[in-house]
Amino acid sequence: MQNLTTKQEAILSAIRQHIRNTGQSPTVREIGQAVNLKSSCSVQKQIESLERAGRLRRSSFKYRSIEIIGEHSQQSHIIDTLVIPLLGRVAGGNPIEALQESDPELISLPTSLLPRVDQNRQKKSCDEQNFSKVELFGLRVVGRSMIDVGIDDGDLVIARQQSSAQNGDIVVALVEDNEATVKKYYREADRIRLQPANDAFLPIYSRDVRILGKVALSIKQF
Amino acid sequence: MQNLTTKQEAILSAIRQHIRNTGQSPTVREIGQAVNLKSSCSVQKQIESLERAGRLRRSSFKYRSIEIIGEHSQQSHIIDTLVIPLLGRVAGGNPIEALQESDPELISLPTSLLPRVDQNRQKKSCDEQNFSKVELFGLRVVGRSMIDVGIDDGDLVIARQQSSAQNGDIVVALVEDNEATVKKYYREADRIRLQPANDAFLPIYSRDVRILGKVALSIKQF
DNA sequence: TGAGAGATCAAACAGTTGTTTGATTTATTT
DNA sequence: AAATAAATCAAACAACTGTTTGATCTCTCA
């Protein structure tokens, strides 16, 4: 990391601040105003220096396209983020569908933590662009029936919406009485077993289980 | 929500798509090209209609400043997000300081999940703008010593950096042999007890414990 | 002191973009 | 069918912005 002149440091700082304040990079003249350079050309030269020094990049010939290199730009992380609706509570509550209609709280999580999402389904909705299509959804857990896998009362679980599951998957399921619950899924001869992860709880046996999703993540707040 | 003409729907869709693809809103002429309107004025008129209908807003007289009203803009969620460095692994690894120097993986998490962060410390760095000051940090857990509080091998814990703790807090601590570990913190008469949450593990007693942070969140991936 | 390099300046140029103008086309109403 | 309204068009205008030009200033070094 080379030494920069104080003027160049001031320019970098002005760019950072402008991006932070307005969400976009400044123009050459805005930089000039910020660092007290009267001519846009002076700024231009300094910017070229900073580019040669590898501290800046202009992504194209468009306006306001200066990026600062080597610092974590907001962009890079934001892009890899998915917005997930928090649909309600499970185990002892209402079915999830009822909760979908309202205006759910939203949280954004980095894709690096989340399971792969089917690219086609994402693409398909690119035009219509309801971009938090409920592919992933969050639920607040009530009860301690899954304590042995580390899911406790009050934890947040993020599930991927799917209607089938494999043995051993932790699923969000809807049982006969329209109650949503988080359990381990096992298909038996003529029925489904929803197995708690807590010896104090008994499994639920049912032929009429609707899988809402597979738990991908659980988040515990201390 | 009023009815819109098909042309107006097409324009809204084109704007959404352009914002999604490029991160900024389209120009009048780009919209025209997308919806097959030859004159920029035609687009202008349609945009004015959409503004009157309350579906669009132009935040200023600047270029590329169209916003779509009533849909969850990326912005609103992004703003409430903190970028957190993943510093390494705990329990049986190197001390955290050694890992800070390198180029850590980063994840962004919504502030709604995170503990309150001291506003002053945030403000102070506004000018200098090293904006992921290590206020919060993430660690990957190795070992099962905290299984009874739901922290398992491979889980991600997010901790808030602090150098003291209260009894019962789950902390990231550095013990004598420079080993970072996650344990429950108890101050005893003349020593610190670092208590695992697993009967198969014994507590660590030490007079020389350095607290690195308090665990605020744990994230489990299934 | 003086020559040269670098920084800065005012000014102008060119491309992009929002906006306006006036004519033409299309749709709707009478 | 005639008239009115709405939509669309090509063209031009003006503001913004990146870039270039040529002159002026400042500093360093011989």
Side-chain angles (χ1 to χ4, degrees):
Chain A
M1 195 70 69
Q2 304 179 34
N3 289 355
L4 300 178
T5 66
T6 56
K7 186 66 82 178
Q8 289 172 333
E9 293 284 4
I11 287 177
L12 277 181
S13 179
I15 293 172
R16 281 191 213 101
Q17 193 153 354
H18 195 281
I19 291 177
R20 183 184 186 110
N21 291 342
T22 71
Q24 55 184 359
S25 58
T27 67
V28 176
R29 286 169 180 81
E30 284 169 341
I31 295 173
Q33 198 166 359
V35 301
N36 204 27
L37 280 178
K38 307 294 186 306
S39 167
S40 59
C41 180
S42 312
V43 179
Q44 194 92 358
K45 297 292 185 188
Q46 296 284 10
I47 289 177
E48 286 167 7
S49 287
L50 286 165
E51 275 188 299
R52 279 193 300 274
R55 300 297 296 271
L56 288 184
R57 175 175 39 220
R58 276 177 288 186
S59 60
S60 65
F61 291 96
K62 296 304 182 63
Y63 304 151
R64 299 179 180 278
S65 62
I66 295 176
E67 294 173 33
I68 298 182
I69 296 177
E71 299 178 11
H72 306 294
S73 84
Q74 293 92 328
Q75 279 296 341
S76 62
H77 306 292
I78 287 163
I79 284 171
D80 287 333
T81 289
L82 282 182
V83 176
I84 297 172
L86 255 50
L87 295 184
R89 296 163 175 276
V90 273
N94 295 317
I96 294 176
E97 275 69 13
L99 298 164
Q100 271 192 29
E101 298 308 314
S102 64
D103 191 13
E105 185 185 349
L106 297 171
I107 63 172
S108 58
L109 288 177
T111 54
S112 59
L113 292 179
L114 298 168
R116 287 284 153 274
V117 173
D118 186 348
Q119 285 298 331
N120 291 333
R121 293 176 72 177
Q122 289 286 70
K123 279 282 171 47
K124 193 176 61 181
S125 68
C126 179
D127 194 48
E128 190 45 42
Q129 178 90 9
N130 279 341
F131 68 85
S132 61
K133 272 274 190 275
V134 185
E135 183 91 18
L136 294 160
F137 60 93
L139 295 167
R140 192 68 72 171
V141 171
V142 177
R144 311 197 67 192
S145 69
M146 294 300 282
I147 193 78
D148 287 350
V149 293
I151 300 179
D152 202 350
D153 185 73
D155 289 359
L156 188 64
V157 298
I158 308 296
R160 173 189 174 153
Q161 184 174 308
Q162 58 187 53
S163 53
S164 63
Q166 301 194 330
N167 279 348
D169 284 353
I170 300 174
V171 298
V172 180
L174 216 56
V175 288
E176 288 150 356
D177 51 354
N178 254 6
E179 193 169 323
T181 185
V182 174
K183 294 286 181 296
K184 278 196 167 185
Y185 173 92
Y186 293 97
R187 169 169 290 280
E188 298 190 342
D190 60 345
R191 60 184 183 181
I192 303 298
R193 173 163 55 96
L194 294 177
Q195 178 70 49
N198 183 338
D199 291 341
F201 286 72
L202 293 176
I204 298 173
Y205 298 101
S206 172
R207 288 188 182 77
D208 184 18
V209 169
R210 174 146 172 247
I211 307 294
L212 298 179
K214 173 181 172 178
V215 172
L217 216 65
S218 79
I219 298 175
K220 189 187 305 289
Q221 290 164 285
F222 293 98
Chain B
M1 195 70 69
Q2 304 178 33
N3 289 354
L4 300 178
T5 66
T6 56
K7 187 66 84 178
Q8 290 173 332
E9 293 284 4
I11 287 177
L12 277 182
S13 179
I15 293 172
R16 283 192 211 101
Q17 191 155 354
H18 195 280
I19 291 177
R20 181 183 187 112
N21 291 342
T22 71
Q24 55 184 0
S25 57
T27 66
V28 177
R29 286 170 179 80
E30 285 169 341
I31 296 173
Q33 197 166 0
V35 301
N36 204 28
L37 281 178
K38 308 293 187 306
S39 167
S40 60
C41 180
S42 312
V43 179
Q44 193 93 0
K45 297 291 185 189
Q46 296 285 9
I47 288 177
E48 286 166 8
S49 288
L50 286 165
E51 274 188 300
R52 279 193 300 274
R55 302 296 295 270
L56 287 185
R57 175 174 40 216
R58 274 177 290 186
S59 60
S60 64
F61 291 97
K62 297 304 181 64
Y63 304 151
R64 299 178 179 278
S65 64
I66 296 176
E67 294 173 33
I68 297 181
I69 296 177
E71 299 178 10
H72 304 294
S73 84
Q74 293 93 330
Q75 280 296 340
S76 61
H77 305 292
I78 286 160
I79 283 169
D80 288 332
T81 288
L82 281 182
V83 176
I84 297 171
L86 254 50
L87 295 184
R89 295 163 175 276
V90 274
N94 295 318
I96 293 178
E97 274 69 12
L99 297 165
Q100 272 193 31
E101 297 310 312
S102 64
D103 192 14
E105 185 185 348
L106 297 169
I107 63 171
S108 57
L109 287 177
T111 54
S112 59
L113 291 179
L114 298 168
R116 286 284 153 276
V117 174
D118 185 349
Q119 285 299 329
N120 291 333
R121 293 176 72 177
Q122 288 287 70
K123 279 281 170 48
K124 195 177 57 181
S125 68
C126 178
D127 193 48
E128 191 44 41
Q129 177 92 8
N130 279 341
F131 66 85
S132 61
K133 272 276 191 275
V134 184
E135 182 92 18
L136 295 160
F137 59 93
L139 295 167
R140 192 68 71 171
V141 171
V142 177
R144 311 198 67 192
S145 70
M146 294 300 282
I147 193 78
D148 286 351
V149 294
I151 300 178
D152 202 348
D153 185 74
D155 288 0
L156 189 64
V157 298
I158 308 296
R160 172 187 174 155
Q161 184 173 308
Q162 58 188 52
S163 54
S164 63
Q166 302 194 328
N167 280 348
D169 283 354
I170 300 174
V171 298
V172 180
L174 215 56
V175 289
E176 288 148 358
D177 52 352
N178 253 5
E179 193 168 323
T181 184
V182 173
K183 294 285 181 296
K184 278 197 167 185
Y185 174 92
Y186 292 98
R187 169 169 290 280
E188 297 190 341
D190 58 347
R191 60 183 182 183
I192 304 297
R193 172 163 56 96
L194 294 177
Q195 178 70 50
N198 183 339
D199 291 341
F201 286 73
L202 293 175
I204 299 173
Y205 298 101
S206 173
R207 287 188 182 79
D208 184 19
V209 169
R210 175 145 173 249
I211 307 293
L212 298 179
K214 174 181 172 179
V215 171
L217 214 66
S218 79
I219 299 175
K220 189 188 304 290
Q221 291 165 283
F222 294 98

